[in-house]
Amino acid sequence: SQQRIIPAKIAVKVPDGISSKLAATLMTKGLTTNYLLTKTYNLKAGETIYSHNDPAEYIFLIHSGKVRIESKHGLELGILDTGEIFGEVGHIIESPRTVTAVAVTNSIIRVIDEKTVKEKMNKADPVLAAIIRGLSLRIGDANALAEKHWLELSVYKSLGK
């Protein structure tokens, strides 16, 4: 069909003389620009995205590139790639960041804001929300234990020299 009924509050008035095709093109370009300027970060390799103990304000999606996750004292906990999400643990358990995130390569990172995360968590099945929270707590515990063993190993290595 050529026409559709929509609520007036979401309609956009197209000025006379502007074709529907041009209006659609301009809207798409505007939305893309908004997306790229307000919720996307272009990072260079080596840039820190957030550090241990920073407030957990956002969750991130890797649009392109690689991100290294490090413990408080620099133990590499993982390298994340395009399409992966990070920064969720502190957000879900409502605590400061438990790790540091650093761009390994030039990367484009998309921000997922708190409102979106809360909406999705509130819509989730309560059992799944509890599972996600439990896994987030265990990830933090596992990272802390890995770092503890890593630090102990460093001490033993230094004694063996």
Side-chain angles (χ1 to χ4, degrees), residues 51-58 87-99 133 136-137 140:
S51 296
H52 174 269
N53 236 14
D54 283 353
E57 297 174 307
Y58 305 107
E88 74 285 359
V89 173
H91 208 51
I92 291 169
I93 64 173
E94 298 176 350
S95 73
R97 301 285 182 197
T98 58
V99 296
R133 182 167 171 72
S136 295
L137 288 166

mmCIF file of all heavy atoms in Angstrom, residues 51-58 87-99 133 136-137 140:
data_model
loop_
_atom_site.group_PDB
_atom_site.id
_atom_site.type_symbol
_atom_site.label_atom_id
_atom_site.label_comp_id
_atom_site.label_asym_id
_atom_site.label_seq_id
_atom_site.Cartn_x
_atom_site.Cartn_y
_atom_site.Cartn_z
ATOM 1 N N SER A 51 38.440 2.044 33.731
ATOM 2 C CA SER A 51 39.429 1.459 34.633
ATOM 3 C C SER A 51 38.748 0.825 35.842
ATOM 4 O O SER A 51 37.620 1.187 36.194
ATOM 5 C CB SER A 51 40.395 2.538 35.133
ATOM 6 O OG SER A 51 41.127 3.065 34.051
ATOM 7 N N HIS A 52 39.495 -0.076 36.479
ATOM 8 C CA HIS A 52 39.042 -0.705 37.713
ATOM 9 C C HIS A 52 38.585 0.388 38.689
ATOM 10 O O HIS A 52 39.234 1.412 38.824
ATOM 11 C CB HIS A 52 40.189 -1.520 38.324
ATOM 12 C CG HIS A 52 39.860 -2.090 39.657
ATOM 13 N ND1 HIS A 52 40.126 -1.431 40.826
ATOM 14 C CD2 HIS A 52 39.250 -3.242 40.000
ATOM 15 C CE1 HIS A 52 39.714 -2.156 41.836
ATOM 16 N NE2 HIS A 52 39.177 -3.268 41.364
ATOM 17 N N ASN A 53 37.457 0.180 39.297
ATOM 18 C CA ASN A 53 36.857 1.063 40.295
ATOM 19 C C ASN A 53 36.122 2.271 39.723
ATOM 20 O O ASN A 53 35.571 3.058 40.491
ATOM 21 C CB ASN A 53 37.879 1.511 41.351
ATOM 22 C CG ASN A 53 37.412 1.173 42.747
ATOM 23 O OD1 ASN A 53 36.478 0.397 42.923
ATOM 24 N ND2 ASN A 53 38.045 1.741 43.737
ATOM 25 N N ASP A 54 36.116 2.461 38.400
ATOM 26 C CA ASP A 54 35.291 3.516 37.807
ATOM 27 C C ASP A 54 33.822 3.178 38.028
ATOM 28 O O ASP A 54 33.463 2.004 38.163
ATOM 29 C CB ASP A 54 35.532 3.615 36.284
ATOM 30 C CG ASP A 54 36.817 4.312 35.913
ATOM 31 O OD1 ASP A 54 37.488 4.857 36.815
ATOM 32 O OD2 ASP A 54 37.153 4.297 34.710
ATOM 33 N N PRO A 55 32.939 4.181 38.016
ATOM 34 C CA PRO A 55 31.507 3.882 38.096
ATOM 35 C C PRO A 55 31.068 3.067 36.882
ATOM 36 O O PRO A 55 31.551 3.291 35.771
ATOM 37 C CB PRO A 55 30.846 5.262 38.069
ATOM 38 C CG PRO A 55 31.927 6.243 38.368
ATOM 39 C CD PRO A 55 33.221 5.607 37.962
ATOM 40 N N ALA A 56 30.166 2.125 37.099
ATOM 41 C CA ALA A 56 29.670 1.276 36.000
ATOM 42 C C ALA A 56 28.435 1.939 35.390
ATOM 43 O O ALA A 56 27.304 1.570 35.673
ATOM 44 C CB ALA A 56 29.348 -0.120 36.527
ATOM 45 N N GLU A 57 28.662 2.930 34.541
ATOM 46 C CA GLU A 57 27.558 3.708 33.972
ATOM 47 C C GLU A 57 26.984 3.101 32.698
ATOM 48 O O GLU A 57 25.807 3.280 32.414
ATOM 49 C CB GLU A 57 28.024 5.128 33.673
ATOM 50 C CG GLU A 57 28.438 5.874 34.916
ATOM 51 C CD GLU A 57 29.035 7.229 34.601
ATOM 52 O OE1 GLU A 57 29.985 7.290 33.790
ATOM 53 O OE2 GLU A 57 28.540 8.208 35.165
ATOM 54 N N TYR A 58 27.811 2.421 31.925
ATOM 55 C CA TYR A 58 27.358 1.916 30.629
ATOM 56 C C TYR A 58 27.837 0.487 30.408
ATOM 57 O O TYR A 58 28.782 0.028 31.031
ATOM 58 C CB TYR A 58 27.918 2.774 29.477
ATOM 59 C CG TYR A 58 27.600 4.237 29.600
ATOM 60 C CD1 TYR A 58 28.574 5.151 29.953
ATOM 61 C CD2 TYR A 58 26.309 4.697 29.357
ATOM 62 C CE1 TYR A 58 28.277 6.506 30.067
ATOM 63 C CE2 TYR A 58 25.998 6.039 29.472
ATOM 64 C CZ TYR A 58 26.984 6.946 29.828
ATOM 65 O OH TYR A 58 26.683 8.272 29.944
ATOM 66 N N GLY A 87 31.452 -4.892 30.136
ATOM 67 C CA GLY A 87 31.088 -3.832 31.068
ATOM 68 C C GLY A 87 29.791 -4.104 31.801
ATOM 69 O O GLY A 87 29.280 -3.247 32.511
ATOM 70 N N GLU A 88 29.275 -5.319 31.664
ATOM 71 C CA GLU A 88 27.967 -5.637 32.228
ATOM 72 C C GLU A 88 28.012 -6.011 33.699
ATOM 73 O O GLU A 88 27.034 -5.829 34.425
ATOM 74 C CB GLU A 88 27.294 -6.762 31.424
ATOM 75 C CG GLU A 88 27.865 -8.151 31.629
ATOM 76 C CD GLU A 88 29.188 -8.430 30.951
ATOM 77 O OE1 GLU A 88 29.729 -7.559 30.258
ATOM 78 O OE2 GLU A 88 29.682 -9.553 31.123
ATOM 79 N N VAL A 89 29.134 -6.532 34.172
ATOM 80 C CA VAL A 89 29.172 -7.082 35.537
ATOM 81 C C VAL A 89 28.875 -6.011 36.582
ATOM 82 O O VAL A 89 27.952 -6.158 37.391
ATOM 83 C CB VAL A 89 30.520 -7.788 35.817
ATOM 84 C CG1 VAL A 89 30.620 -8.190 37.279
ATOM 85 C CG2 VAL A 89 30.665 -9.012 34.926
ATOM 86 N N GLY A 90 29.637 -4.927 36.593
ATOM 87 C CA GLY A 90 29.414 -3.875 37.579
ATOM 88 C C GLY A 90 28.024 -3.286 37.482
ATOM 89 O O GLY A 90 27.412 -2.912 38.483
ATOM 90 N N HIS A 91 27.535 -3.211 36.268
ATOM 91 C CA HIS A 91 26.209 -2.660 36.028
ATOM 92 C C HIS A 91 25.133 -3.555 36.646
ATOM 93 O O HIS A 91 24.224 -3.074 37.307
ATOM 94 C CB HIS A 91 26.013 -2.534 34.518
ATOM 95 C CG HIS A 91 25.075 -1.462 34.118
ATOM 96 N ND1 HIS A 91 25.174 -0.168 34.565
ATOM 97 C CD2 HIS A 91 24.002 -1.485 33.305
ATOM 98 C CE1 HIS A 91 24.208 0.551 34.032
ATOM 99 N NE2 HIS A 91 23.486 -0.223 33.273
ATOM 100 N N ILE A 92 25.259 -4.840 36.434
ATOM 101 C CA ILE A 92 24.247 -5.791 36.911
ATOM 102 C C ILE A 92 24.294 -5.952 38.429
ATOM 103 O O ILE A 92 23.254 -6.015 39.080
ATOM 104 C CB ILE A 92 24.390 -7.143 36.184
ATOM 105 C CG1 ILE A 92 23.981 -6.968 34.714
ATOM 106 C CG2 ILE A 92 23.547 -8.221 36.853
ATOM 107 C CD1 ILE A 92 24.315 -8.133 33.818
ATOM 108 N N ILE A 93 25.507 -6.004 39.006
ATOM 109 C CA ILE A 93 25.601 -6.194 40.458
ATOM 110 C C ILE A 93 25.673 -4.858 41.202
ATOM 111 O O ILE A 93 25.855 -4.826 42.416
ATOM 112 C CB ILE A 93 26.797 -7.105 40.843
ATOM 113 C CG1 ILE A 93 28.139 -6.480 40.463
ATOM 114 C CG2 ILE A 93 26.630 -8.481 40.234
ATOM 115 C CD1 ILE A 93 29.347 -7.253 40.962
ATOM 116 N N GLU A 94 25.517 -3.773 40.466
ATOM 117 C CA GLU A 94 25.467 -2.424 41.029
ATOM 118 C C GLU A 94 26.690 -2.108 41.893
ATOM 119 O O GLU A 94 26.582 -1.754 43.062
ATOM 120 C CB GLU A 94 24.161 -2.219 41.811
ATOM 121 C CG GLU A 94 22.944 -2.348 40.921
ATOM 122 C CD GLU A 94 21.621 -2.257 41.666
ATOM 123 O OE1 GLU A 94 21.616 -2.276 42.917
ATOM 124 O OE2 GLU A 94 20.594 -2.167 40.984
ATOM 125 N N SER A 95 27.851 -2.277 41.272
ATOM 126 C CA SER A 95 29.111 -1.967 41.948
ATOM 127 C C SER A 95 30.034 -1.271 40.952
ATOM 128 O O SER A 95 29.802 -1.317 39.748
ATOM 129 C CB SER A 95 29.758 -3.245 42.475
ATOM 130 O OG SER A 95 30.297 -4.003 41.422
ATOM 131 N N PRO A 96 31.104 -0.637 41.449
ATOM 132 C CA PRO A 96 32.069 -0.035 40.515
ATOM 133 C C PRO A 96 32.698 -1.110 39.627
ATOM 134 O O PRO A 96 32.572 -2.309 39.889
ATOM 135 C CB PRO A 96 33.125 0.575 41.451
ATOM 136 C CG PRO A 96 32.449 0.727 42.758
ATOM 137 C CD PRO A 96 31.448 -0.395 42.838
ATOM 138 N N ARG A 97 33.392 -0.671 38.599
ATOM 139 C CA ARG A 97 34.065 -1.586 37.679
ATOM 140 C C ARG A 97 35.022 -2.486 38.439
ATOM 141 O O ARG A 97 35.754 -2.025 39.316
ATOM 142 C CB ARG A 97 34.854 -0.820 36.617
ATOM 143 C CG ARG A 97 34.027 0.109 35.761
ATOM 144 C CD ARG A 97 33.221 -0.641 34.755
ATOM 145 N NE ARG A 97 32.481 0.291 33.910
ATOM 146 C CZ ARG A 97 31.460 -0.058 33.167
ATOM 147 N NH1 ARG A 97 31.048 -1.311 33.150
ATOM 148 N NH2 ARG A 97 30.837 0.818 32.427
ATOM 149 N N THR A 98 35.013 -3.762 38.085
ATOM 150 C CA THR A 98 35.904 -4.723 38.745
ATOM 151 C C THR A 98 37.142 -5.002 37.902
ATOM 152 O O THR A 98 38.048 -5.693 38.356
ATOM 153 C CB THR A 98 35.164 -6.048 39.014
ATOM 154 O OG1 THR A 98 34.688 -6.577 37.772
ATOM 155 C CG2 THR A 98 33.988 -5.840 39.952
ATOM 156 N N VAL A 99 37.161 -4.488 36.673
ATOM 157 C CA VAL A 99 38.275 -4.708 35.751
ATOM 158 C C VAL A 99 38.537 -3.432 34.966
ATOM 159 O O VAL A 99 37.802 -2.456 35.075
ATOM 160 C CB VAL A 99 37.967 -5.875 34.764
ATOM 161 C CG1 VAL A 99 37.821 -7.197 35.495
ATOM 162 C CG2 VAL A 99 36.719 -5.584 33.940
ATOM 163 N N ARG A 133 22.411 -12.387 37.151
ATOM 164 C CA ARG A 133 23.024 -11.766 38.335
ATOM 165 C C ARG A 133 24.010 -12.733 38.995
ATOM 166 O O ARG A 133 25.127 -12.361 39.345
ATOM 167 C CB ARG A 133 21.954 -11.325 39.323
ATOM 168 C CG ARG A 133 22.536 -10.631 40.535
ATOM 169 C CD ARG A 133 21.467 -9.926 41.364
ATOM 170 N NE ARG A 133 21.979 -9.454 42.622
ATOM 171 C CZ ARG A 133 22.804 -8.440 42.796
ATOM 172 N NH1 ARG A 133 23.229 -7.770 41.747
ATOM 173 N NH2 ARG A 133 23.226 -8.081 43.984
ATOM 174 N N SER A 136 27.135 -13.023 36.948
ATOM 175 C CA SER A 136 27.928 -11.802 37.067
ATOM 176 C C SER A 136 28.723 -11.798 38.364
ATOM 177 O O SER A 136 29.895 -11.412 38.384
ATOM 178 C CB SER A 136 27.021 -10.565 36.992
ATOM 179 O OG SER A 136 26.430 -10.473 35.717
ATOM 180 N N LEU A 137 28.083 -12.215 39.455
ATOM 181 C CA LEU A 137 28.802 -12.296 40.741
ATOM 182 C C LEU A 137 29.940 -13.301 40.657
ATOM 183 O O LEU A 137 31.042 -13.051 41.144
ATOM 184 C CB LEU A 137 27.829 -12.672 41.862
ATOM 185 C CG LEU A 137 26.843 -11.572 42.271
ATOM 186 C CD1 LEU A 137 25.729 -12.146 43.134
ATOM 187 C CD2 LEU A 137 27.568 -10.445 42.984
ATOM 188 N N GLY A 140 33.016 -11.983 38.751
ATOM 189 C CA GLY A 140 33.830 -11.125 39.607
ATOM 190 C C GLY A 140 34.683 -11.932 40.569
ATOM 191 O O GLY A 140 35.873 -11.659 40.747
#
